[in-house]
Amino acid sequence: MSDYEMIRSPKTDQGIVIKDEWPGYDLDLFTYPEHYHGDLENIYIPHGVIMDRTECLARLVVDDTDDNYMVALCVLKGGYKFCSDLVECIKSVSRNTPKHMTVRVEFIRLKSYLNDQSSEDIQIIGPEDLSVITGKV
């Protein structure tokens, strides 16, 4: 059984499922920054797999969108890299279709801490008025 078969869930629509007991890929299969040496034990999801799935998601967005203009809402800070990769994939995919898309990105931050204590209230920090994205795809 290959590593891919160990993590693939062929009987469901869940895509790739990583089982708790799966040890991951051996580090010798990858190159990674020197400053991580000694800190990593294995690789669970290689960057190429993440980028492939991001491109698949971009294709779905382009196929499901009737408009040629899109506003992407990025939740900082954790979502920045994924949002950036997804927007670039959407632009790239749409260049190869009859409906070339223009994508604008708006940024917000969510704050749920007050004086180092978690609160149930989530504060949205970003554009003064989120109406700039109301009705946008």
Side-chain angles (χ1 to χ4, degrees), residues 16-67:
I16 294 175
V17 176
I18 300 174
K19 297 180 180 181
D20 289 340
E21 64 274 1
W22 187 62
Y25 293 101
D26 190 89
L27 292 176
D28 292 336
L29 297 172
F30 303 94
T31 57
Y32 55 95
E34 184 69 33
H35 62 274
Y36 288 124
H37 287 242
D39 293 329
L40 298 177
E41 294 178 15
N42 49 42
I43 304 289
Y44 285 111
I45 306 173
H47 180 72
V49 172
I50 294 169
M51 291 308 297
D52 180 67
R53 183 62 187 123
T54 303
E55 184 177 338
C56 290
L57 182 58
R59 288 180 190 283
L60 290 173
V61 168
V62 171
D63 290 346
D64 288 348
T65 304
D66 293 328
D67 202 349

Side-chain angles (χ1 to χ4, degrees), residues 50-109:
I50 294 169
M51 291 308 297
D52 180 67
R53 183 62 187 123
T54 303
E55 184 177 338
C56 290
L57 182 58
R59 288 180 190 283
L60 290 173
V61 168
V62 171
D63 290 346
D64 288 348
T65 304
D66 293 328
D67 202 349
N68 289 10
Y69 180 77
M70 172 186 290
V71 177
L73 182 62
C74 178
V75 179
L76 296 174
K77 297 182 180 177
Y80 174 75
K81 179 66 173 142
F82 171 72
C83 182
S84 173
D85 289 343
L86 180 59
V87 166
E88 286 306 311
C89 284
I90 289 170
K91 290 177 180 179
S92 176
V93 167
S94 75
R95 277 193 288 271
N96 297 316
T97 68
K99 56 178 181 180
H100 178 71
M101 296 183 73
T102 300
V103 183
R104 189 179 97 216
V105 181
E106 291 287 336
F107 298 93
I108 63 169
R109 287 182 64 197

Side-chain angles (χ1 to χ4, degrees), residues 113-118:
Y113 282 82
L114 180 63
N115 299 327
D116 295 336
Q117 296 292 321
S118 179

